[in-house]
Amino acid sequence: MRILIVIPIIHTEQDMGSMLERIKLEYVAQYGHEKWTEHLKSIDEVWSGIRRMIAALDLPYASVRLYQDGLPVCGKEADIVKEVTARGGRNHQLLVELMAQGARLMGTEDPDLLLQEYQFHQDALGGGEQGHENHREDQSRKLLSERDRFIAARINATLSAGEIGLLFVGLAHSVEPLLDSDILTRHLLPSLRENQAKAQ
């Protein structure tokens, strides 16, 4: 049997880099700097909770593979994670801690699809295609679906019998239906998954 534990993530400023700067400016303009600070504090608390919950699982780390939303298959995965960790990214700090205990970091996403997604969001933030919201939504859904297919195929191909995968993935993703039938999925925060299902 193969087990995949799905861990919902919330991206921090350090994870998203310059892409988040525009979002931050718009958020601060609408809600004020104090609300932004509260928002960042709540994200930090979520990551502290995730860290504690993973530690409580007492996993056999030599048999654990780490799959990370946004981490391309490129041969330099550990360097990317360390770079984001150096900027203070909580998600990536946790990956480094788990790797130090013996877990194996896996490239998870298609670099070409990530580049397309990045360019798509840059264009949207720059105001491209004004008046074409439906087209942008369709394109965004299509890209996300393609990313999900790649992530699932990557897990299917690399998670071996007797191993446990930890998938750090945003709530918008839907990887589970695309996994092989012998992969048993568990949710670190099941209530978040239930709330998402109700919202859909």
Side-chain angles (χ1 to χ4, degrees), residues 150-164:
F150 188 93
I151 293 169
R154 182 75 174 144
I155 294 168
N156 290 339
T158 60
L159 188 64
S160 299
E163 291 185 331
I164 300 168

Side-chain angles (χ1 to χ4, degrees), residues 56-73:
L57 295 174
D58 196 24
L59 297 171
Y61 288 106
S63 299
V64 171
R65 291 184 189 263
L66 306 172
Y67 300 93
Q68 173 65 53
D69 169 353
L71 184 64
V73 177

Side-chain angles (χ1 to χ4, degrees), residues 22 26 120-131 136:
R22 177 75 179 263
E26 291 178 8
F120 172 79
H121 287 296
Q122 288 295 101
D123 291 346
L125 288 173
E129 287 194 56
Q130 292 293 333
R136 280 199 301 269

Side-chain angles (χ1 to χ4, degrees), residues 24-57:
K24 174 184 175 180
L25 291 173
E26 291 178 8
Y27 188 98
V28 170
Q30 187 169 359
Y31 301 107
H33 196 272
E34 189 175 314
K35 284 282 188 192
W36 179 256
T37 303
E38 288 175 19
H39 174 68
L40 294 182
K41 184 180 176 189
S42 67
I43 290 174
D44 198 54
E45 289 169 358
V46 167
W47 277 110
S48 294
I50 288 172
R51 184 177 179 274
R52 285 191 301 271
M53 283 185 270
I54 291 175
L57 295 174

Side-chain angles (χ1 to χ4, degrees), residues 82-192:
K82 287 173 187 170
E83 180 185 318
V84 179
T85 298
R87 295 197 306 256
R90 292 293 302 273
N91 182 174
H92 293 73
Q93 286 173 2
L94 180 54
L95 292 176
V96 168
E97 289 175 21
L98 297 172
M99 288 162 60
Q101 295 178 73
R104 285 174 285 178
L105 182 68
M106 306 301 296
T108 306
E109 295 223 45
D110 180 334
D112 292 333
L113 289 174
L114 286 175
L115 191 58
Q116 287 178 46
E117 176 113 345
Y118 176 80
Q119 189 59 57
F120 172 79
H121 287 296
Q122 288 295 101
D123 291 346
L125 288 173
E129 287 194 56
Q130 292 293 333
H132 295 89
E133 288 78 13
N134 289 341
H135 175 69
R136 280 199 301 269
E137 285 177 22
D138 288 345
Q139 190 178 357
S140 178
R141 276 194 295 271
K142 182 175 180 249
L143 273 170
L144 189 64
S145 176
E146 289 176 13
R147 286 177 62 200
D148 287 345
R149 280 196 293 275
F150 188 93
I151 293 169
R154 182 75 174 144
I155 294 168
N156 290 339
T158 60
L159 188 64
S160 299
E163 291 185 331
I164 300 168
L166 299 183
L167 172 62
F168 295 84
V169 67
L171 287 170
H173 288 269
S174 184
V175 174
E176 285 177 68
L178 306 167
L179 295 171
D180 289 343
S181 59
D182 67 317
I183 296 178
L184 179 65
T185 58
R186 294 284 181 255
H187 294 271
L188 190 70
L189 301 170
S191 60
L192 268 181

